[in-house]
PDB file of all heavy atoms in Angstrom:
ATOM      1  N   VAL A  51      11.906 -16.922  18.161  1.00 48.00           N
ATOM      2  CA  VAL A  51      11.408 -16.657  16.799  1.00 48.00           C
ATOM      3  C   VAL A  51      10.023 -16.035  16.872  1.00 48.00           C
ATOM      4  O   VAL A  51       9.703 -15.099  16.141  1.00 48.00           O
ATOM      5  CB  VAL A  51      11.381 -17.962  15.985  1.00 48.00           C
ATOM      6  CG1 VAL A  51      10.709 -17.720  14.631  1.00 48.00           C
ATOM      7  CG2 VAL A  51      12.796 -18.475  15.771  1.00 48.00           C
ATOM      8  N   LEU A  52       9.185 -16.515  17.805  1.00 47.00           N
ATOM      9  CA  LEU A  52       7.829 -15.995  17.920  1.00 47.00           C
ATOM     10  C   LEU A  52       7.832 -14.528  18.309  1.00 47.00           C
ATOM     11  O   LEU A  52       7.096 -13.718  17.744  1.00 47.00           O
ATOM     12  CB  LEU A  52       7.048 -16.803  18.950  1.00 47.00           C
ATOM     13  CG  LEU A  52       5.597 -16.323  19.196  1.00 47.00           C
ATOM     14  CD1 LEU A  52       4.796 -16.386  17.893  1.00 47.00           C
ATOM     15  CD2 LEU A  52       4.939 -17.177  20.275  1.00 47.00           C
ATOM     16  N   SER A  53       8.697 -14.149  19.274  1.00 53.00           N
ATOM     17  CA  SER A  53       8.727 -12.756  19.700  1.00 53.00           C
ATOM     18  C   SER A  53       9.194 -11.849  18.579  1.00 53.00           C
ATOM     19  O   SER A  53       8.738 -10.715  18.439  1.00 53.00           O
ATOM     20  CB  SER A  53       9.632 -12.593  20.921  1.00 53.00           C
ATOM     21  OG  SER A  53      10.983 -12.866  20.588  1.00 53.00           O
ATOM     22  N   MET A  54      10.113 -12.329  17.733  1.00 47.00           N
ATOM     23  CA  MET A  54      10.580 -11.523  16.609  1.00 47.00           C
ATOM     24  C   MET A  54       9.490 -11.357  15.568  1.00 47.00           C
ATOM     25  O   MET A  54       9.336 -10.293  14.973  1.00 47.00           O
ATOM     26  CB  MET A  54      11.828 -12.162  15.986  1.00 47.00           C
ATOM     27  CG  MET A  54      13.041 -12.170  16.928  1.00 47.00           C
ATOM     28  SD  MET A  54      14.457 -13.020  16.231  1.00 47.00           S
ATOM     29  CE  MET A  54      14.879 -11.915  14.897  1.00 47.00           C
ATOM     30  N   LEU A  55       8.714 -12.406  15.339  1.00 42.00           N
ATOM     31  CA  LEU A  55       7.623 -12.322  14.373  1.00 42.00           C
ATOM     32  C   LEU A  55       6.572 -11.319  14.821  1.00 42.00           C
ATOM     33  O   LEU A  55       5.976 -10.619  14.007  1.00 42.00           O
ATOM     34  CB  LEU A  55       6.977 -13.700  14.188  1.00 42.00           C
ATOM     35  CG  LEU A  55       7.765 -14.713  13.355  1.00 42.00           C
ATOM     36  CD1 LEU A  55       7.069 -16.074  13.404  1.00 42.00           C
ATOM     37  CD2 LEU A  55       7.922 -14.248  11.921  1.00 42.00           C
ATOM     38  N   LEU A  56       6.356 -11.242  16.126  1.00 49.00           N
ATOM     39  CA  LEU A  56       5.351 -10.325  16.639  1.00 49.00           C
ATOM     40  C   LEU A  56       5.735  -8.869  16.414  1.00 49.00           C
ATOM     41  O   LEU A  56       4.883  -7.983  16.445  1.00 49.00           O
ATOM     42  CB  LEU A  56       5.122 -10.583  18.126  1.00 49.00           C
ATOM     43  CG  LEU A  56       4.418 -11.901  18.456  1.00 49.00           C
ATOM     44  CD1 LEU A  56       4.370 -12.113  19.959  1.00 49.00           C
ATOM     45  CD2 LEU A  56       3.018 -11.930  17.862  1.00 49.00           C
ATOM     46  N   LEU A  57       7.025  -8.589  16.209  1.00 50.00           N
ATOM     47  CA  LEU A  57       7.476  -7.226  15.974  1.00 50.00           C
ATOM     48  C   LEU A  57       7.321  -6.806  14.526  1.00 50.00           C
ATOM     49  O   LEU A  57       7.493  -5.636  14.194  1.00 50.00           O
ATOM     50  CB  LEU A  57       8.950  -7.081  16.379  1.00 50.00           C
ATOM     51  CG  LEU A  57       9.248  -7.277  17.867  1.00 50.00           C
ATOM     52  CD1 LEU A  57      10.752  -7.227  18.105  1.00 50.00           C
ATOM     53  CD2 LEU A  57       8.538  -6.209  18.692  1.00 50.00           C
ATOM     54  N   LEU A  58       7.005  -7.746  13.642  1.00 50.00           N
ATOM     55  CA  LEU A  58       6.865  -7.451  12.219  1.00 50.00           C
ATOM     56  C   LEU A  58       5.406  -7.256  11.858  1.00 50.00           C
ATOM     57  O   LEU A  58       4.514  -7.792  12.518  1.00 50.00           O
ATOM     58  CB  LEU A  58       7.417  -8.621  11.387  1.00 50.00           C
ATOM     59  CG  LEU A  58       8.913  -8.910  11.507  1.00 50.00           C
ATOM     60  CD1 LEU A  58       9.226 -10.196  10.748  1.00 50.00           C
ATOM     61  CD2 LEU A  58       9.730  -7.757  10.947  1.00 50.00           C
ATOM     62  N   PRO A  59       5.142  -6.434  10.792  1.00 53.00           N
ATOM     63  CA  PRO A  59       3.784  -6.397  10.257  1.00 53.00           C
ATOM     64  C   PRO A  59       3.337  -7.797   9.892  1.00 53.00           C
ATOM     65  O   PRO A  59       4.151  -8.640   9.493  1.00 53.00           O
ATOM     66  CB  PRO A  59       3.916  -5.504   9.022  1.00 53.00           C
ATOM     67  CG  PRO A  59       5.144  -4.681   9.254  1.00 53.00           C
ATOM     68  CD  PRO A  59       6.063  -5.580  10.048  1.00 53.00           C
ATOM     69  N   LEU A  60       2.045  -8.036  10.027  1.00 47.00           N
ATOM     70  CA  LEU A  60       1.529  -9.393   9.863  1.00 47.00           C
ATOM     71  C   LEU A  60       1.927 -10.003   8.529  1.00 47.00           C
ATOM     72  O   LEU A  60       2.380 -11.143   8.453  1.00 47.00           O
ATOM     73  CB  LEU A  60      -0.002  -9.365   9.999  1.00 47.00           C
ATOM     74  CG  LEU A  60      -0.696 -10.731   9.955  1.00 47.00           C
ATOM     75  CD1 LEU A  60      -0.163 -11.619  11.077  1.00 47.00           C
ATOM     76  CD2 LEU A  60      -2.210 -10.565  10.061  1.00 47.00           C
ATOM     77  N   GLY A  61       1.756  -9.211   7.419  1.00 51.00           N
ATOM     78  CA  GLY A  61       2.080  -9.751   6.102  1.00 51.00           C
ATOM     79  C   GLY A  61       3.555 -10.082   5.977  1.00 51.00           C
ATOM     80  O   GLY A  61       3.930 -11.135   5.457  1.00 51.00           O
ATOM     81  N   ALA A  62       4.426  -9.176   6.491  1.00 49.00           N
ATOM     82  CA  ALA A  62       5.863  -9.408   6.382  1.00 49.00           C
ATOM     83  C   ALA A  62       6.288 -10.608   7.205  1.00 49.00           C
ATOM     84  O   ALA A  62       7.199 -11.341   6.841  1.00 49.00           O
ATOM     85  CB  ALA A  62       6.615  -8.148   6.834  1.00 49.00           C
ATOM     86  N   ALA A  63       5.616 -10.841   8.336  1.00 50.00           N
ATOM     87  CA  ALA A  63       5.977 -11.956   9.207  1.00 50.00           C
ATOM     88  C   ALA A  63       5.818 -13.283   8.504  1.00 50.00           C
ATOM     89  O   ALA A  63       6.541 -14.238   8.779  1.00 50.00           O
ATOM     90  CB  ALA A  63       5.118 -11.911  10.472  1.00 50.00           C
ATOM     91  N   PHE A  64       4.891 -13.354   7.577  1.00 51.00           N
ATOM     92  CA  PHE A  64       4.638 -14.622   6.878  1.00 51.00           C
ATOM     93  C   PHE A  64       5.062 -14.545   5.418  1.00 51.00           C
ATOM     94  O   PHE A  64       4.583 -15.286   4.573  1.00 51.00           O
ATOM     95  CB  PHE A  64       3.159 -14.981   6.987  1.00 51.00           C
ATOM     96  CG  PHE A  64       2.758 -15.348   8.384  1.00 51.00           C
ATOM     97  CD1 PHE A  64       2.231 -14.398   9.241  1.00 51.00           C
ATOM     98  CD2 PHE A  64       2.955 -16.635   8.862  1.00 51.00           C
ATOM     99  CE1 PHE A  64       1.876 -14.728  10.533  1.00 51.00           C
ATOM    100  CE2 PHE A  64       2.611 -16.966  10.156  1.00 51.00           C
ATOM    101  CZ  PHE A  64       2.068 -16.015  11.007  1.00 51.00           C
ATOM    102  N   GLY A  65       5.987 -13.587   5.103  1.00 56.00           N
ATOM    103  CA  GLY A  65       6.573 -13.536   3.775  1.00 56.00           C
ATOM    104  C   GLY A  65       5.669 -12.940   2.718  1.00 56.00           C
ATOM    105  O   GLY A  65       5.949 -13.098   1.522  1.00 56.00           O
ATOM    106  N   GLN A  66       4.573 -12.268   3.111  1.00 61.00           N
ATOM    107  CA  GLN A  66       3.675 -11.670   2.136  1.00 61.00           C
ATOM    108  C   GLN A  66       4.114 -10.246   1.828  1.00 61.00           C
ATOM    109  O   GLN A  66       4.624  -9.536   2.676  1.00 61.00           O
ATOM    110  CB  GLN A  66       2.242 -11.659   2.672  1.00 61.00           C
ATOM    111  CG  GLN A  66       1.676 -13.047   2.927  1.00 61.00           C
ATOM    112  CD  GLN A  66       0.290 -12.955   3.537  1.00 61.00           C
ATOM    113  OE1 GLN A  66      -0.289 -11.890   3.629  1.00 61.00           O
ATOM    114  NE2 GLN A  66      -0.241 -14.101   3.959  1.00 61.00           N
ATOM    115  N   GLN A  67       3.883  -9.811   0.569  1.00 68.00           N
ATOM    116  CA  GLN A  67       4.201  -8.451   0.167  1.00 68.00           C
ATOM    117  C   GLN A  67       3.122  -7.499   0.679  1.00 68.00           C
ATOM    118  O   GLN A  67       1.935  -7.765   0.539  1.00 68.00           O
ATOM    119  CB  GLN A  67       4.291  -8.364  -1.355  1.00 68.00           C
ATOM    120  CG  GLN A  67       4.663  -6.973  -1.864  1.00 68.00           C
ATOM    121  CD  GLN A  67       4.757  -6.939  -3.372  1.00 68.00           C
ATOM    122  OE1 GLN A  67       4.549  -7.945  -4.036  1.00 68.00           O
ATOM    123  NE2 GLN A  67       5.084  -5.785  -3.920  1.00 68.00           N
ATOM    124  N   ILE A  68       3.533  -6.394   1.331  1.00 75.00           N
ATOM    125  CA  ILE A  68       2.594  -5.400   1.818  1.00 75.00           C
ATOM    126  C   ILE A  68       2.189  -4.495   0.663  1.00 75.00           C
ATOM    127  O   ILE A  68       3.034  -3.889   0.007  1.00 75.00           O
ATOM    128  CB  ILE A  68       3.208  -4.564   2.952  1.00 75.00           C
ATOM    129  CG1 ILE A  68       3.687  -5.475   4.082  1.00 75.00           C
ATOM    130  CG2 ILE A  68       2.201  -3.549   3.463  1.00 75.00           C
ATOM    131  CD1 ILE A  68       2.587  -6.309   4.696  1.00 75.00           C
ATOM    132  N   LYS A  69       0.909  -4.399   0.398  1.00 80.00           N
ATOM    133  CA  LYS A  69       0.420  -3.608  -0.727  1.00 80.00           C
ATOM    134  C   LYS A  69       0.087  -2.186  -0.278  1.00 80.00           C
ATOM    135  O   LYS A  69      -0.337  -1.956   0.849  1.00 80.00           O
ATOM    136  CB  LYS A  69      -0.825  -4.264  -1.329  1.00 80.00           C
ATOM    137  CG  LYS A  69      -0.560  -5.628  -1.961  1.00 80.00           C
ATOM    138  CD  LYS A  69      -1.824  -6.191  -2.584  1.00 80.00           C
ATOM    139  CE  LYS A  69      -1.548  -7.536  -3.242  1.00 80.00           C
ATOM    140  NZ  LYS A  69      -2.768  -8.113  -3.861  1.00 80.00           N
ATOM    141  N   SER A  70       0.294  -1.261  -1.199  1.00 82.00           N
ATOM    142  CA  SER A  70      -0.042   0.131  -0.921  1.00 82.00           C
ATOM    143  C   SER A  70      -1.548   0.327  -1.036  1.00 82.00           C
ATOM    144  O   SER A  70      -2.276  -0.520  -1.568  1.00 82.00           O
ATOM    145  CB  SER A  70       0.667   1.052  -1.913  1.00 82.00           C
ATOM    146  OG  SER A  70       0.134   0.858  -3.224  1.00 82.00           O
ATOM    147  N   ASP A  71      -2.012   1.472  -0.537  1.00 82.00           N
ATOM    148  CA  ASP A  71      -3.431   1.802  -0.661  1.00 82.00           C
ATOM    149  C   ASP A  71      -3.851   1.838  -2.122  1.00 82.00           C
ATOM    150  O   ASP A  71      -4.954   1.409  -2.479  1.00 82.00           O
ATOM    151  CB  ASP A  71      -3.719   3.159  -0.009  1.00 82.00           C
ATOM    152  CG  ASP A  71      -3.600   3.092   1.503  1.00 82.00           C
ATOM    153  OD1 ASP A  71      -3.546   1.979   2.044  1.00 82.00           O
ATOM    154  OD2 ASP A  71      -3.573   4.166   2.136  1.00 82.00           O
ATOM    155  N   ALA A  72      -2.970   2.381  -2.980  1.00 78.00           N
ATOM    156  CA  ALA A  72      -3.291   2.469  -4.407  1.00 78.00           C
ATOM    157  C   ALA A  72      -3.449   1.083  -5.027  1.00 78.00           C
ATOM    158  O   ALA A  72      -4.354   0.844  -5.835  1.00 78.00           O
ATOM    159  CB  ALA A  72      -2.214   3.260  -5.146  1.00 78.00           C
ATOM    160  N   GLU A  73      -2.569   0.167  -4.627  1.00 84.00           N
ATOM    161  CA  GLU A  73      -2.648  -1.200  -5.165  1.00 84.00           C
ATOM    162  C   GLU A  73      -3.916  -1.893  -4.696  1.00 84.00           C
ATOM    163  O   GLU A  73      -4.579  -2.591  -5.463  1.00 84.00           O
ATOM    164  CB  GLU A  73      -1.409  -1.997  -4.743  1.00 84.00           C
ATOM    165  CG  GLU A  73      -0.133  -1.537  -5.421  1.00 84.00           C
ATOM    166  CD  GLU A  73       1.095  -2.217  -4.852  1.00 84.00           C
ATOM    167  OE1 GLU A  73       1.141  -2.431  -3.621  1.00 84.00           O
ATOM    168  OE2 GLU A  73       1.997  -2.532  -5.639  1.00 84.00           O
ATOM    169  N   ILE A  74      -4.260  -1.684  -3.436  1.00 82.00           N
ATOM    170  CA  ILE A  74      -5.484  -2.287  -2.921  1.00 82.00           C
ATOM    171  C   ILE A  74      -6.696  -1.701  -3.635  1.00 82.00           C
ATOM    172  O   ILE A  74      -7.625  -2.404  -4.033  1.00 82.00           O
ATOM    173  CB  ILE A  74      -5.585  -2.078  -1.403  1.00 82.00           C
ATOM    174  CG1 ILE A  74      -4.457  -2.836  -0.690  1.00 82.00           C
ATOM    175  CG2 ILE A  74      -6.947  -2.531  -0.882  1.00 82.00           C
ATOM    176  CD1 ILE A  74      -4.349  -2.532   0.780  1.00 82.00           C
ATOM    177  N   GLY A  75      -6.686  -0.368  -3.809  1.00 83.00           N
ATOM    178  CA  GLY A  75      -7.789   0.277  -4.508  1.00 83.00           C
ATOM    179  C   GLY A  75      -7.930  -0.203  -5.935  1.00 83.00           C
ATOM    180  O   GLY A  75      -9.051  -0.388  -6.435  1.00 83.00           O
ATOM    181  N   ALA A  76      -6.793  -0.421  -6.602  1.00 81.00           N
ATOM    182  CA  ALA A  76      -6.838  -0.873  -7.992  1.00 81.00           C
ATOM    183  C   ALA A  76      -7.491  -2.237  -8.110  1.00 81.00           C
ATOM    184  O   ALA A  76      -8.152  -2.539  -9.115  1.00 81.00           O
ATOM    185  CB  ALA A  76      -5.422  -0.908  -8.562  1.00 81.00           C
ATOM    186  N   GLN A  77      -7.327  -3.061  -7.088  1.00 86.00           N
ATOM    187  CA  GLN A  77      -7.967  -4.382  -7.118  1.00 86.00           C
ATOM    188  C   GLN A  77      -9.484  -4.260  -7.168  1.00 86.00           C
ATOM    189  O   GLN A  77     -10.168  -5.146  -7.676  1.00 86.00           O
ATOM    190  CB  GLN A  77      -7.557  -5.179  -5.877  1.00 86.00           C
ATOM    191  CG  GLN A  77      -6.116  -5.634  -5.886  1.00 86.00           C
ATOM    192  CD  GLN A  77      -5.773  -6.437  -4.648  1.00 86.00           C
ATOM    193  OE1 GLN A  77      -6.337  -6.238  -3.574  1.00 86.00           O
ATOM    194  NE2 GLN A  77      -4.837  -7.362  -4.789  1.00 86.00           N
ATOM    195  N   TRP A  78     -10.009  -3.164  -6.649  1.00 87.00           N
ATOM    196  CA  TRP A  78     -11.450  -2.939  -6.628  1.00 87.00           C
ATOM    197  C   TRP A  78     -11.918  -2.014  -7.750  1.00 87.00           C
ATOM    198  O   TRP A  78     -13.084  -1.599  -7.774  1.00 87.00           O
ATOM    199  CB  TRP A  78     -11.861  -2.360  -5.273  1.00 87.00           C
ATOM    200  CG  TRP A  78     -11.650  -3.319  -4.137  1.00 87.00           C
ATOM    201  CD1 TRP A  78     -10.534  -3.445  -3.371  1.00 87.00           C
ATOM    202  CD2 TRP A  78     -12.569  -4.302  -3.673  1.00 87.00           C
ATOM    203  NE1 TRP A  78     -10.694  -4.437  -2.428  1.00 87.00           N
ATOM    204  CE2 TRP A  78     -11.960  -4.991  -2.600  1.00 87.00           C
ATOM    205  CE3 TRP A  78     -13.862  -4.675  -4.045  1.00 87.00           C
ATOM    206  CZ2 TRP A  78     -12.584  -6.018  -1.904  1.00 87.00           C
ATOM    207  CZ3 TRP A  78     -14.474  -5.702  -3.338  1.00 87.00           C
ATOM    208  CH2 TRP A  78     -13.845  -6.365  -2.291  1.00 87.00           C
ATOM    209  N   GLY A  79     -11.016  -1.674  -8.641  1.00 86.00           N
ATOM    210  CA  GLY A  79     -11.383  -0.833  -9.773  1.00 86.00           C
ATOM    211  C   GLY A  79     -11.378   0.648  -9.472  1.00 86.00           C
ATOM    212  O   GLY A  79     -11.887   1.454 -10.254  1.00 86.00           O
ATOM    213  N   PHE A  80     -10.797   1.051  -8.313  1.00 91.00           N
ATOM    214  CA  PHE A  80     -10.720   2.473  -7.977  1.00 91.00           C
ATOM    215  C   PHE A  80      -9.463   3.082  -8.598  1.00 91.00           C
ATOM    216  O   PHE A  80      -8.474   2.388  -8.827  1.00 91.00           O
ATOM    217  CB  PHE A  80     -10.688   2.679  -6.466  1.00 91.00           C
ATOM    218  CG  PHE A  80     -11.894   2.126  -5.760  1.00 91.00           C
ATOM    219  CD1 PHE A  80     -11.759   1.231  -4.707  1.00 91.00           C
ATOM    220  CD2 PHE A  80     -13.175   2.491  -6.157  1.00 91.00           C
ATOM    221  CE1 PHE A  80     -12.867   0.718  -4.050  1.00 91.00           C
ATOM    222  CE2 PHE A  80     -14.290   1.996  -5.500  1.00 91.00           C
ATOM    223  CZ  PHE A  80     -14.142   1.106  -4.458  1.00 91.00           C
ATOM    224  N   THR A  81      -9.484   4.382  -8.858  1.00 91.00           N
ATOM    225  CA  THR A  81      -8.336   5.059  -9.427  1.00 91.00           C
ATOM    226  C   THR A  81      -7.934   6.246  -8.555  1.00 91.00           C
ATOM    227  O   THR A  81      -8.756   6.798  -7.819  1.00 91.00           O
ATOM    228  CB  THR A  81      -8.635   5.575 -10.841  1.00 91.00           C
ATOM    229  OG1 THR A  81      -9.750   6.484 -10.790  1.00 91.00           O
ATOM    230  CG2 THR A  81      -8.982   4.428 -11.782  1.00 91.00           C
ATOM    231  N   GLN A  82      -6.674   6.622  -8.650  1.00 90.00           N
ATOM    232  CA  GLN A  82      -6.152   7.780  -7.944  1.00 90.00           C
ATOM    233  C   GLN A  82      -6.275   9.029  -8.830  1.00 90.00           C
ATOM    234  O   GLN A  82      -6.251   8.933 -10.056  1.00 90.00           O
ATOM    235  CB  GLN A  82      -4.677   7.568  -7.595  1.00 90.00           C
ATOM    236  CG  GLN A  82      -4.430   6.499  -6.551  1.00 90.00           C
ATOM    237  CD  GLN A  82      -4.784   6.964  -5.151  1.00 90.00           C
ATOM    238  OE1 GLN A  82      -4.700   8.148  -4.843  1.00 90.00           O
ATOM    239  NE2 GLN A  82      -5.195   6.031  -4.308  1.00 90.00           N
ATOM    240  N   PRO A  83      -6.421  10.222  -8.225  1.00 93.00           N
ATOM    241  CA  PRO A  83      -6.399  11.440  -9.038  1.00 93.00           C
ATOM    242  C   PRO A  83      -5.018  11.638  -9.649  1.00 93.00           C
ATOM    243  O   PRO A  83      -4.019  11.093  -9.158  1.00 93.00           O
ATOM    244  CB  PRO A  83      -6.718  12.557  -8.030  1.00 93.00           C
ATOM    245  CG  PRO A  83      -6.308  12.001  -6.710  1.00 93.00           C
ATOM    246  CD  PRO A  83      -6.571  10.520  -6.788  1.00 93.00           C
ATOM    247  N   ALA A  84      -4.968  12.426 -10.723  1.00 93.00           N
ATOM    248  CA  ALA A  84      -3.676  12.769 -11.307  1.00 93.00           C
ATOM    249  C   ALA A  84      -2.837  13.512 -10.276  1.00 93.00           C
ATOM    250  O   ALA A  84      -3.374  14.202  -9.404  1.00 93.00           O
ATOM    251  CB  ALA A  84      -3.880  13.632 -12.552  1.00 93.00           C
ATOM    252  N   PRO A  85      -1.533  13.392 -10.324  1.00 92.00           N
ATOM    253  CA  PRO A  85      -0.682  14.051  -9.328  1.00 92.00           C
ATOM    254  C   PRO A  85      -0.758  15.577  -9.437  1.00 92.00           C
ATOM    255  O   PRO A  85      -1.188  16.132 -10.451  1.00 92.00           O
ATOM    256  CB  PRO A  85       0.722  13.537  -9.664  1.00 92.00           C
ATOM    257  CG  PRO A  85       0.644  13.134 -11.096  1.00 92.00           C
ATOM    258  CD  PRO A  85      -0.741  12.615 -11.300  1.00 92.00           C
ATOM    259  N   ILE A  86      -0.334  16.244  -8.382  1.00 93.00           N
ATOM    260  CA  ILE A  86      -0.313  17.705  -8.354  1.00 93.00           C
ATOM    261  C   ILE A  86       0.528  18.219  -9.514  1.00 93.00           C
ATOM    262  O   ILE A  86       1.635  17.744  -9.760  1.00 93.00           O
ATOM    263  CB  ILE A  86       0.273  18.206  -7.029  1.00 93.00           C
ATOM    264  CG1 ILE A  86      -0.632  17.837  -5.855  1.00 93.00           C
ATOM    265  CG2 ILE A  86       0.496  19.711  -7.070  1.00 93.00           C
ATOM    266  CD1 ILE A  86      -0.007  18.125  -4.507  1.00 93.00           C
ATOM    267  N   ASP A  87      -0.017  19.201 -10.236  1.00 96.00           N
ATOM    268  CA  ASP A  87       0.723  19.862 -11.309  1.00 96.00           C
ATOM    269  C   ASP A  87       0.411  21.351 -11.228  1.00 96.00           C
ATOM    270  O   ASP A  87      -0.574  21.822 -11.796  1.00 96.00           O
ATOM    271  CB  ASP A  87       0.348  19.287 -12.678  1.00 96.00           C
ATOM    272  CG  ASP A  87       1.185  19.873 -13.810  1.00 96.00           C
ATOM    273  OD1 ASP A  87       2.020  20.764 -13.530  1.00 96.00           O
ATOM    274  OD2 ASP A  87       1.007  19.452 -14.969  1.00 96.00           O
ATOM    275  N   PHE A  88       1.246  22.090 -10.532  1.00 97.00           N
ATOM    276  CA  PHE A  88       1.010  23.518 -10.342  1.00 97.00           C
ATOM    277  C   PHE A  88       1.036  24.260 -11.667  1.00 97.00           C
ATOM    278  O   PHE A  88       0.397  25.310 -11.814  1.00 97.00           O
ATOM    279  CB  PHE A  88       2.069  24.088  -9.398  1.00 97.00           C
ATOM    280  CG  PHE A  88       1.819  25.513  -8.984  1.00 97.00           C
ATOM    281  CD1 PHE A  88       0.911  25.809  -7.982  1.00 97.00           C
ATOM    282  CD2 PHE A  88       2.496  26.562  -9.601  1.00 97.00           C
ATOM    283  CE1 PHE A  88       0.675  27.130  -7.595  1.00 97.00           C
ATOM    284  CE2 PHE A  88       2.272  27.875  -9.218  1.00 97.00           C
ATOM    285  CZ  PHE A  88       1.357  28.160  -8.215  1.00 97.00           C
ATOM    286  N   ASN A  89       1.748  23.716 -12.636  1.00 96.00           N
ATOM    287  CA  ASN A  89       1.885  24.375 -13.934  1.00 96.00           C
ATOM    288  C   ASN A  89       0.828  23.961 -14.945  1.00 96.00           C
ATOM    289  O   ASN A  89       0.911  24.339 -16.113  1.00 96.00           O
ATOM    290  CB  ASN A  89       3.282  24.117 -14.498  1.00 96.00           C
ATOM    291  CG  ASN A  89       4.369  24.743 -13.640  1.00 96.00           C
ATOM    292  OD1 ASN A  89       4.259  25.895 -13.255  1.00 96.00           O
ATOM    293  ND2 ASN A  89       5.401  23.973 -13.332  1.00 96.00           N
ATOM    294  N   ASP A  90      -0.168  23.211 -14.513  1.00 96.00           N
ATOM    295  CA  ASP A  90      -1.297  22.881 -15.391  1.00 96.00           C
ATOM    296  C   ASP A  90      -2.212  24.093 -15.484  1.00 96.00           C
ATOM    297  O   ASP A  90      -2.826  24.489 -14.490  1.00 96.00           O
ATOM    298  CB  ASP A  90      -2.048  21.673 -14.838  1.00 96.00           C
ATOM    299  CG  ASP A  90      -3.303  21.345 -15.646  1.00 96.00           C
ATOM    300  OD1 ASP A  90      -3.422  21.837 -16.787  1.00 96.00           O
ATOM    301  OD2 ASP A  90      -4.162  20.616 -15.120  1.00 96.00           O
ATOM    302  N   HIS A  91      -2.326  24.699 -16.660  1.00 97.00           N
ATOM    303  CA  HIS A  91      -3.118  25.907 -16.842  1.00 97.00           C
ATOM    304  C   HIS A  91      -4.291  25.695 -17.785  1.00 97.00           C
ATOM    305  O   HIS A  91      -4.855  26.668 -18.293  1.00 97.00           O
ATOM    306  CB  HIS A  91      -2.224  27.040 -17.364  1.00 97.00           C
ATOM    307  CG  HIS A  91      -1.124  27.412 -16.414  1.00 97.00           C
ATOM    308  ND1 HIS A  91       0.141  27.776 -16.833  1.00 97.00           N
ATOM    309  CD2 HIS A  91      -1.087  27.457 -15.054  1.00 97.00           C
ATOM    310  CE1 HIS A  91       0.902  28.033 -15.784  1.00 97.00           C
ATOM    311  NE2 HIS A  91       0.173  27.841 -14.692  1.00 97.00           N
TER     312      HIS A  91
END
């Protein structure tokens, strides 16, 4: 069981949800730019 846990990301090994960079940034009050819109004129 230990060797299998070592193959997993730390959070997943202990049943934690892995957060995206955007989610982590949002916790600190940071925002992402608007998505690419080539047709924005």
Side-chain angles (χ1 to χ4, degrees):
V51 173
L52 178 60
S53 66
M54 295 176 68
L55 285 173
L56 290 174
L57 295 175
L58 296 173
L60 184 59
F64 291 94
Q66 297 176 8
Q67 182 179 0
I68 304 300
K69 295 182 179 180
S70 68
D71 290 347
E73 290 172 322
I74 295 172
Q77 289 181 330
W78 294 91
F80 301 126
T81 59
Q82 291 285 331
I86 294 172
D87 185 357
F88 188 80
N89 296 313
D90 175 16
H91 298 143

